[in-house]
C-alpha cells in the first residue's frame, strides 16, 4: 500500500492532459482548414480493458455448469443429456422424452440445497488492447486490437447420488476484427462536464479442452464428454459398462462444433475525468464481474524509484534493500515491465519477484564490493516485453551507489570503510600497500610514521581515526574536509617516510648527525631553509622534522579525488 | 501569401521593436521594481567567496582549526581592504587572548593550540601589507597590553624597524613566553644589533616545553631557540651545546 502510494505520486501528467488533448483533437477536426496536400492521418486513441467473470456463466460449458445454471450453451448440452437419458429407461422419475423441466427436477431430486446457491468454480478473464480511429467529429471506432483470454471451469459437486464434475479450460488470443467486433468511443461536449461513452461489443473464438462428467444412481449411470479443439465426444456407461454393449444403441455421440464465440459486452458513460476506470458488479446470474479500462493517447512510463542514490547500510555484510518502481500509463501495463538491476561486482543481487517483472520489484544487494571503482554511477532499467510495440521503455534511472563511510562492513572487516576504499583512490597516492590503519591512536593524532623509533616500521605509514574528517594544516592553515583530509594525512606521513629514507639512508637515524635533535640531518637542513642548530627554525611551534611534511601537504590538489569518493557522507553524496 | 506575411512581420517588428527606441525610456519609471525581482532569480554562485562578514564568522568559529584556516587565507584577499582585514584579525586576536580555549598541543606541536593560533594570527597581521599598518599602530597606542604586544611584534615581523626598542623590552620583560620567543625572532628579522645583549641573555631563558612527534617526546626551550636564530641572523655565531644549552661565540 505504501509502495502504491509512493508510486501514485502527486502528478499524472498524461491523464490530466488527455481530456484536453482529446478535446483539441476532436475540435481540431471541426475547424475548417485549407485542403491538405496529403490526406490527414486520422487521430487515434489507444485503450486497454480487463474483463473478468467469476461464477456462474463465466464460461458456458460443462455438464454441472449447464445443468445448474443454464446458459447459452446449456440447451445444447441438455439436449444431449436428454438423449442420453433416454437410455436409462429404468430410472425412476424420467419419462421417455424428458423435458428441461424434468431434467432439472431430476437433478434436484434428493438434493437438500438450492443448487443455484452453490459456488461455481468458473472463471473467465480477458485482456483487450485496442486502437480506436477517429470516424466522425465526435466518435472513434475500432481500428485494430487483440484480446488475450483464459478460462477455467473446475466445478465439482458431490451430492450423494449425483456427482457433477467439470474440468475444462482454455486460453488464447485473437485479433479484434472490426467486422465482427466493435468498440466505439463517443464524446459529448454539450454535456457539462463533457462526457464520453465507451461501448464495447466484442466476440472472439474461445475453444476449450477437458472433460465433464455426471455420475448418478449410486454409480449406476455415468454420462460424460471429452472436448478438444471444438470436438466433443460423448460417452455413456451403465453400471460401468458402455451403454452400447447393453442396449445396442450408439452411446459414443460426437459433436463437431464451431468454437464458441465468447461475447464481451460493456458500456460506460462518464465524465472525461474518468477515462481510466474500474467497475465491479454481480451479473444477473450472480457472477462477479470486473471491468478495468484505460484510454490514453500514448503509453508512457517513467521510473520513480529508487532515487538517484543508494547506500549500503551499516551492518555486515552491507545491504541495499530497495525497490524499483515505475509509473506506467496505462497502469495495467506495469506488469509487463522487466527490470534490470546493475551488477555490482562482489555484491550478491536478488530480486522479488525472481523474474524481475512488474511495476514494482524489490531488489537486494548483499555484501560490499572489493573495489572502490565498482561504486558510483550505475543504471537501472525497466523495459516492456509484450507491450514493447505499444510502449516506449522508461528512461533508465541513473543511480549512484555509495558505501557508508563510518561503517566497517567492507570485505576486510577490520578497518573502516573510508580507509578501505579511499586508499584505492588518488587520495591514497599509490601507497595503499604501505598504509596501515591504527584504531588506537591518541584522539588528536591523525597519522604517524614510526620509522625513527622502530626500523621495522620504516616502510609503513599509519592512518588513525580521522574524527570528523576536518582539519587544518598547522603551518599553512589550509583547511581540508573528507577525502581531502585523508589525502593530506597520507601525504604528510608519506613525506616523513620519504624524508627519513632520504636523510638517513640505509643506516637509519643517527643522533650524532643531528645536533639540534629535530630529526633532520644537519647536512640537509639548509636545503629546507632550516637551521642545523635549531629544533624549531621557523618558530611556529613544531620541531623542524614537521615543516617539510606540513608544506608538502599543500601540494595535494584539493578535490582531486572527489570523483572517486563514494563514501556517504562524502564529496559526492552531499556531505563533505 | 508568404511575401505578404514577411512584410507584415517586418512592419510589426518595426512598430514593436525599433519604434520603441525612440520613446523616452518608460521602463525604469513604469516598472521600477522589476530589476530587483529579476536579480533575485539569479542563483548564487555555488562556492561563493566569503565576504567580510563570513570571514569574521570564521574567525569566531568554535573549531580552532577553522579559525586558523580563516586567518591564514586573509593575506590572499586583496579584494578586501587591508585595514578591514587587520581590524577583524585584531578583534579575533583580542578574543583569543581574552578567552583561550585551554586546548592541548595538536599533533607534533610543543605549544598549545591556543598559543599556535595566537602566533599564527600575529604572523598573519604582519603579512597584510602597509595598508594594515595604521590599524596595528592604533592597537599599539591604545590596545590592551597583550594585544599591544602582539601588534608591536606584527609590525616588527613586517619589518617596521621603529618598533625595535619596544620589541627588546618585550623580550626582556614580558612574562608571556610566546611573546618572548617571537620578540627574539623579530629582533633578528629587524637586524637590530642593539638587541645582541638582550638576545644573549635570552639564550638562557628558562621557558621549556615538551612535545611529541614521530621521534617521540622531546623538550625544547623556545625562547633560547629563537634568540639563537636571531643572533645567527645578526651575524653572530652561536654554538649549540648538549641539553638545549646555547653559547654565543663572539666574532
Amino acid at each position: 500500500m505504501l509502495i502504491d502510494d509512493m508510486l501514485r505520486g502527486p502528478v499524472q501528467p498524461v491523464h490530466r492532459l488527455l481530456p484536453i488533448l482529446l478535446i483539441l483533437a476532436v475540435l481540431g477536426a471541426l475547424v475548417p482548414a485549407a485542403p491538405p496536400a496529403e490526406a490527414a492521418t486520422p487521430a487515434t486513441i489507444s485503450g486497454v480493458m480487463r474483463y473478468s467473470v467469476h461464477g456462474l456463466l463465466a464460461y458456458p460449458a460443462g455438464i454441472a455448469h449447464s445443468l445448474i445454471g443454464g446458459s447459452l450453451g446449456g440447451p445444447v448440452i441438455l439436449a444431449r443429456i436428454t438423449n442420453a437419458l433416454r437410455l436409462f429407461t429404468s430410472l425412476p422419475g424420467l419419462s421417455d422424452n424428458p423435458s428441461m423441466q424434468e431434467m432439472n427436477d431430476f437433478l434436484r431430486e434428493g438434493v437438500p440445497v438450492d443448487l443455484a446457491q452453490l459456488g461455481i468454480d468458473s472463471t473467465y478473464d480477458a485482456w483487450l488492447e485496442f486502437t480506436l480511429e477517429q470516424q466522425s467529429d465526435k466518435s472513434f471506432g475500432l481500428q485494430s486490437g487483440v484480446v488475450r483470454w483464459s478460462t477455467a471451469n473446475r466445478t465439482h459437486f458431490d451430492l450423494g447420488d449425483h456427482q457433477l464434475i467439470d474440468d475444462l479450460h482454455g486460453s488464447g488470443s485473437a485479433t479484434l476484427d472490426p467486422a465482427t467486433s466493435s468498440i466505439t468511443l463517443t464524446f459529448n461536449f454539450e454535456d457539462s462536464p463533457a462526457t464520453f461513452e465507451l461501448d464495447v461489443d466484442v466476440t472472439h473464438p474461445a475453444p476449450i479442452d477437458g472433460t465433464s462428467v455426471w455420475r448418478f444412481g449410486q454409480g449406476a449411470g455415468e454420462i460424460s464428454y471429452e472436448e478438444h479443439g471444438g470436438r466433443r465426444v460423448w460417452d455413456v456407461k451403465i453400471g460401468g459398462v458402455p451403454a452400447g454393449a447393453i442396449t445396442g444403441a450408439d452411446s459414443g455421440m460426437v459433436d463437431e462444433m464451431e468454437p464458441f464465440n465468447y461475447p464481451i459486452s460493456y458500456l460506460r458513460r462518464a465524465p472525461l475525468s474518468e477515462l481510466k476506470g474500474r467497475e465491479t458488479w454481480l451479473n444477473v446470474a450472480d457472477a462477479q464481474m470486473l471491468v478495468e479500462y484505460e484510454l490514453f493517447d500514448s503509453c508512457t512510463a517513467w521510473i520513480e524509484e529508487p532515487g538517484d542514490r543508494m547506500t549500503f547500510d551499516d551492518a555486515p555484510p552491507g545491504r541495499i534493500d530497495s525497490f524499483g518502481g515505475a509509473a506506467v500509463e496505462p497502469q495495467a501495463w506495469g506488469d509487463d515491465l522487466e527490470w534490470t538491476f546493475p551488477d555490482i561486482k562482489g555484491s550478491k543481487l536478488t530480486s522479488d519477484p525472481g523474474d524481475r517483472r512488474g511495476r514494482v520489484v524489490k531488489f537486494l544487494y548483499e555484501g560490499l564490493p572489493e573495489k572502490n571503482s565498482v561504486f558510483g554511477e550505475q543504471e537501472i532499467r525497466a523495459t516492456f516485453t509484450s507491450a514493447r510495440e505499444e510502449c516506449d521503455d522508461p528512461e533508465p534511472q541513473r543511480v549512484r551507489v555509495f558505501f557508508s563511510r563510518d561503517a566497517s562492513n567492507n570485505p576486510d572487516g577490520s578497518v573502516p570503510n573510508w580507509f578501505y576504499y579511499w586508499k584505492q583512490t588518488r587520495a591514497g597516492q599509490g601507497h595503499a600497500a604501505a598504509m596501515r590503519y591504527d584504531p588506537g591512536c591518541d584522539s588528536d593524532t591523525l597519522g604517524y610514521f614510526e620509522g625513527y623509533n622502530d626500523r621495522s616500521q620504516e616502510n609503513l605509514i599509519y592512518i588513525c581515526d580521522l574524527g570528523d574528517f576536518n582539519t587544518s594544516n598547522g603551518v599553512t592553515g589550509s583547511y581540508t574536509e573528507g577525502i581531502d583530509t585523508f589525502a593530506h594525512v597520507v601525504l604528510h606521513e608519506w613525506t616523513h617516510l620519504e624524508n627519513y629514507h632520504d636523510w638517513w639512508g640505509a643506516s637509519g637515524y643517527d643522533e650524532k648527525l643531528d645536533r639540534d635533535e629535530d630529526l633532520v640531518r644537519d647536512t640537509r637542513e639548509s636545503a629546507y631553509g632550516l637551521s642545523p642548530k635549531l629544533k624549531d627554525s621557523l618558530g611556529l611551534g613544531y620541531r623542524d622534522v614537521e615543516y617539510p611534511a606540513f608544506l608538502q601537504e599543500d601540494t595535494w590538489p584539493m578535490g582531486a579525488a572527489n570523483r572517486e569518493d563514494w563514501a556517504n557522507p562524502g564529496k559526492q553524496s552531499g556531505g563533505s | 501569401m508568404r511575401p505578404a506575411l514577411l512584410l507584415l512581420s517586418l512592419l510589426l517588428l518595426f512598430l514593436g521593436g525599433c519604434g520603441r527606441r525612440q520613446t523616452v525610456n518608460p521602463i525604469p519609471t513604469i516598472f521600477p521594481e522589476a530589476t530587483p525581482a529579476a536579480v533575485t532569480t539569479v542563483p548564487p554562485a555555488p562556492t561563493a567567496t566569503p565576504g567580510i562578514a563570513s570571514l569574521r564568522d570564521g574567525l569566531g568559529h568554535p573549531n580552532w582549526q577553522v579559525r586558523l584556516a580563516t586567518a591564514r587565507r586573509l593575506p590572499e584577499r586583496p579584494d578586501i581592504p587591508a585595514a578591514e582585514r587587520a581590524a577583524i584579525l585584531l578583534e579575533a586576536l583580542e578574543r583569543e587572548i581574552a578567552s583561550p580555549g585551554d586546548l592541548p598541543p595538536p599533533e607534533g606541536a610543543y605549544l598549545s593550540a591556543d598559543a599556535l593560533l595566537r602566533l599564527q594570527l600575529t604572523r598573519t597581521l604582519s603579512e597584510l601589507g602597509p595598508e594594515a599598518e595604521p590599524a596595528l599602530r592604533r592597537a599599539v597606542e591604545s590596545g590592551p597590553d597583550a594585544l599591544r604586544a602582539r601588534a608591536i611584534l606584527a609590525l616588527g615581523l613586517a619589518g617596521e624597524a621603529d618598533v625595535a626598542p619596544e620589541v627588546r623590552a618585550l623580550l626582556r620583560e614580558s612574562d608571556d613566553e610566546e611573546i618572548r620567543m617571537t620578540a627574539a625572532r623579530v629582533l633578528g628579522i629587524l637586524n637590530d644589533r642593539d638587541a645582541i645583549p638582550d638576545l644573549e641573555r635570552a639564550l638562557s631563558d628558562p621557558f621549556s616545553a615538551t612535545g611529541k612527534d614521530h621521534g617521540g617526546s622531546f623538550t625544547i626551550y623556545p625562547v633560547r631557540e629563537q634568540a639563537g636564530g636571531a643572533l645567527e641572523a645578526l651575524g653572530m655565531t652561536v654554538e649549540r651545546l648538549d641539553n638545549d644549552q646555547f653559547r654565543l661565540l663572539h666574532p
Side-chain angles (χ1 to χ4, degrees):
Chain A
M1 189 64 185
L2 183 62
I3 291 171
D4 279 340
D5 288 342
M6 283 189 285
L7 290 175
R8 200 166 289 126
V11 178
Q12 295 187 347
V14 174
H15 280 295
R16 289 190 177 179
L17 289 174
L18 185 53
I20 298 168
L21 294 173
L22 289 171
I23 291 169
L24 291 174
V26 173
L27 291 180
L30 302 176
V31 175
E38 297 176 12
T41 305
T44 59
I45 292 174
S46 299
V48 292
M49 192 171 92
R50 183 183 300 282
Y51 181 92
S52 177
V53 189
H54 188 180
L56 198 58
L57 302 187
Y59 189 96
I63 297 171
H65 200 162
S66 301
L67 287 180
I68 294 168
S71 67
L72 295 173
V76 178
I77 294 171
L78 289 175
R80 284 299 179 192
I81 290 173
T82 301
N83 290 334
L85 284 172
R86 289 195 184 96
L87 301 173
F88 299 91
T89 51
S90 59
L91 286 174
L94 279 179
S95 64
D96 287 346
N97 295 293
S99 65
M100 290 300 293
Q101 177 68 46
E102 284 179 300
M103 296 296 295
N104 281 287
D105 288 344
F106 178 71
L107 282 169
R108 292 190 180 93
E109 189 178 289
V111 177
V113 295
D114 180 355
L115 294 178
Q117 298 299 314
L118 295 178
I120 301 289
D121 185 10
S122 180
T123 61
Y124 169 83
D125 285 292
W127 172 251
L128 289 85
E129 300 165 10
F130 51 86
T131 301
L132 306 179
E133 181 180 80
Q134 187 164 17
Q135 294 181 328
S136 69
D137 292 348
K138 298 178 182 176
S139 70
F140 291 71
L142 179 64
Q143 180 191 64
S144 62
V146 64
V147 56
R148 298 183 179 87
W149 63 276
S150 66
T151 188
N153 175 9
R154 293 191 171 84
T155 302
H156 186 176
F157 291 132
D158 189 346
L159 306 173
D161 282 349
H162 298 273
Q163 288 181 318
L164 299 163
I165 304 166
D166 291 341
D167 185 7
L168 298 156
H169 52 85
S171 64
S173 64
T175 55
L176 298 181
D177 181 358
T180 56
S181 295
S182 77
I183 300 177
T184 58
L185 176 66
T186 308
F187 294 97
N188 187 344
F189 297 113
E190 282 75 41
D191 289 350
S192 181
T195 60
F196 72 92
E197 182 178 288
L198 175 66
D199 189 352
V200 178
D201 187 6
V202 167
T203 61
H204 68 85
I208 56 171
D209 299 330
T211 60
S212 185
V213 180
W214 174 22
R215 296 192 187 97
F216 52 88
Q218 296 180 330
E222 177 180 302
I223 301 172
S224 66
Y225 69 75
E226 183 172 338
E227 184 163 342
H228 182 69
R231 188 169 192 267
R232 186 179 291 166
V233 179
W234 291 83
D235 189 24
V236 181
K237 290 188 175 74
I238 302 171
V241 179
I246 298 171
T247 64
D250 181 10
S251 64
M253 295 169 287
V254 176
D255 288 330
E256 297 286 355
M257 302 177 298
E258 289 295 317
F260 173 65
N261 277 314
Y262 198 101
I264 297 173
S265 183
Y266 181 66
L267 179 68
R268 174 72 170 159
R269 186 179 294 115
L272 293 185
S273 59
E274 295 180 27
L275 288 165
K276 173 183 176 183
R278 184 174 190 268
E279 276 192 287
T280 61
W281 72 94
L282 297 176
N283 70 5
V284 291
D286 285 342
Q288 182 68 51
M289 303 288 298
L290 165 69
V291 170
E292 289 178 296
Y293 65 89
E294 193 166 356
L295 300 165
F296 53 95
D297 60 345
S298 64
C299 174
T300 57
W302 62 96
I303 296 175
E304 294 190 326
E305 292 290 342
D308 63 359
R309 65 183 63 184
M310 305 190 299
T311 302
F312 281 92
D313 65 12
D314 288 351
R319 294 152 57 102
I320 294 175
D321 191 353
S322 188
F323 66 93
V328 182
E329 290 182 357
Q331 185 171 310
W333 274 346
D335 292 343
D336 193 56
L337 282 174
E338 181 174 299
W339 292 77
T340 303
F341 303 109
D343 178 38
I344 299 177
K345 194 174 179 183
S347 191
K348 182 186 172 192
L349 169 65
T350 54
S351 62
D352 179 18
D355 64 0
R356 294 173 282 107
R357 298 283 294 269
R359 192 171 63 87
V360 177
V361 174
K362 294 163 72 175
F363 61 88
L364 173 68
Y365 289 96
E366 283 185 293
L368 269 68
E370 197 174 314
K371 302 287 186 188
N372 181 70
S373 57
V374 173
F375 292 102
E377 301 280 353
Q378 301 284 0
E379 209 170 68
I380 289 178
R381 290 178 172 276
T383 53
F384 286 100
T385 50
S386 302
R388 60 182 175 273
E389 297 290 327
E390 293 84 0
C391 299
D392 291 332
D393 294 335
E395 283 292 312
Q397 172 73 320
R398 290 179 176 278
V399 295
R400 292 183 297 168
V401 181
F402 296 92
F403 58 84
S404 179
R405 184 189 66 186
D406 301 327
S408 296
N409 51 3
N410 56 77
D412 179 295
S414 66
V415 298
N417 291 346
W418 59 264
F419 177 80
Y420 183 86
Y421 292 113
W422 283 353
K423 70 181 181 181
Q424 300 177 31
T425 70
R426 285 175 207 176
Q429 295 155 82
H431 308 317
M435 211 182 291
R436 300 288 182 271
Y437 176 72
D438 182 353
C441 303
D442 295 339
S443 61
D444 63 337
T445 302
L446 303 182
Y448 62 90
F449 167 68
E450 195 65 3
Y452 287 97
N453 302 314
D454 180 355
R455 295 207 58 192
S456 71
Q457 302 287 303
E458 64 186 14
N459 291 311
L460 296 175
I461 59 171
Y462 286 84
I463 310 298
C464 306
D465 179 11
L466 297 183
D468 61 4
F469 295 88
N470 302 333
T471 191
S472 64
N473 185 309
V475 172
T476 68
S478 61
Y479 189 74
T480 55
E481 297 175 312
I483 197 170
D484 286 317
T485 295
F486 174 77
H488 268 231
V489 174
V490 169
L491 190 46
H492 184 109
E493 304 309 332
W494 192 257
T495 301
H496 283 310
L497 183 150
E498 284 192 328
N499 286 345
Y500 170 84
H501 288 283
D502 181 26
W503 298 337
W504 302 106
S507 57
Y509 177 68
D510 182 352
E511 61 184 16
K512 293 190 293 296
L513 303 176
D514 181 21
R515 268 181 299 169
D516 54 6
E517 300 172 345
D518 61 1
L519 307 181
V520 184
R521 192 174 185 135
D522 291 343
T523 55
R524 304 301 303 277
E525 298 240 24
S526 62
Y528 295 89
L530 305 172
S531 165
K533 298 179 182 176
L534 304 177
K535 279 183 185 169
D536 179 5
S537 299
L538 303 184
L540 285 172
Y542 296 88
R543 278 209 287 191
D544 283 353
V545 69
E546 291 296 335
Y547 292 123
F550 274 126
L551 296 175
Q552 191 69 19
E553 279 184 36
D554 279 9
T555 65
W556 166 253
M558 206 75 83
N562 284 6
R563 299 190 70 170
E564 297 173 87
D565 182 8
W566 299 114
N568 188 3
K571 297 290 186 186
Q572 300 189 98
S573 63
S576 59
Chain B
M1 183 64 183
R2 285 186 178 176
L5 276 175
L6 183 61
L7 283 172
L8 182 60
S9 301
L10 288 171
L11 180 61
L12 288 171
L13 184 64
F14 176 77
L15 292 174
C18 303
R20 278 188 188 171
R21 288 185 187 168
Q22 298 172 21
T23 63
V24 183
N25 188 22
I27 294 174
T29 53
I30 297 172
F31 306 108
E33 70 282 12
T35 302
V39 168
T40 60
T41 63
V42 178
T47 53
T49 303
I52 192 75
S54 297
L55 291 168
R56 184 180 274 113
D57 290 344
L59 291 169
H61 196 278
N63 183 334
W64 76 273
Q65 293 182 309
V66 175
R67 303 203 294 276
L68 170 62
T70 306
R72 292 304 297 157
R73 295 282 80 80
L74 284 174
E76 303 163 6
R77 294 296 304 276
D79 55 310
I80 299 172
E84 286 187 42
R85 286 178 281 157
I88 63 171
L89 268 175
L90 284 164
E91 285 172 18
L93 186 51
E94 192 170 355
R95 280 197 304 271
E96 298 295 342
I97 294 165
S99 307
D102 293 328
L103 298 167
E107 179 187 8
Y110 60 82
L111 294 177
S112 70
D114 305 293
L116 289 180
L117 186 54
R118 290 189 294 266
L119 275 178
Q120 290 275 13
L121 288 172
T122 306
R123 294 272 177 111
T124 306
L125 279 167
S126 75
E127 296 168 6
L128 297 179
E131 290 178 15
E133 190 184 323
L136 290 171
R137 293 204 179 271
R138 279 196 296 278
V140 170
E141 288 168 10
S142 57
D145 281 352
L147 183 64
R148 178 178 174 277
R150 286 177 171 82
I152 291 168
L153 295 174
L155 286 166
L157 287 165
E160 297 296 327
D162 63 301
V163 297
E166 290 166 290
V167 176
R168 289 198 295 273
L170 290 172
L171 176 61
R172 283 194 309 270
E173 299 163 8
S174 177
D175 55 4
D176 184 331
E177 52 272 12
E178 291 165 45
I179 289 176
R180 294 203 305 280
M181 70 180 277
T182 306
R185 184 176 187 84
V186 168
L187 293 169
I189 291 170
L190 294 175
N191 198 28
D192 182 17
R193 296 193 66 81
D194 293 341
I196 290 173
D198 291 327
L199 289 168
E200 186 174 6
R201 271 192 295 278
L203 290 177
S204 303
D205 189 281
F207 171 57
S208 69
T210 56
K212 185 181 175 190
D213 60 18
H214 304 87
S217 296
F218 64 91
T219 300
I220 186 170
Y221 288 76
V223 182
R224 296 180 191 178
E225 294 271 336
Q226 298 309 313
L231 288 166
E232 292 263 323
L234 290 168
M236 313 298 286
T237 300
V238 174
E239 184 181 14
R240 185 179 189 110
L241 308 172
D242 292 339
N243 300 321
D244 295 300
Q245 300 294 312
F246 291 86
R247 184 173 64 190
L248 178 63
L249 302 177
H250 293 277

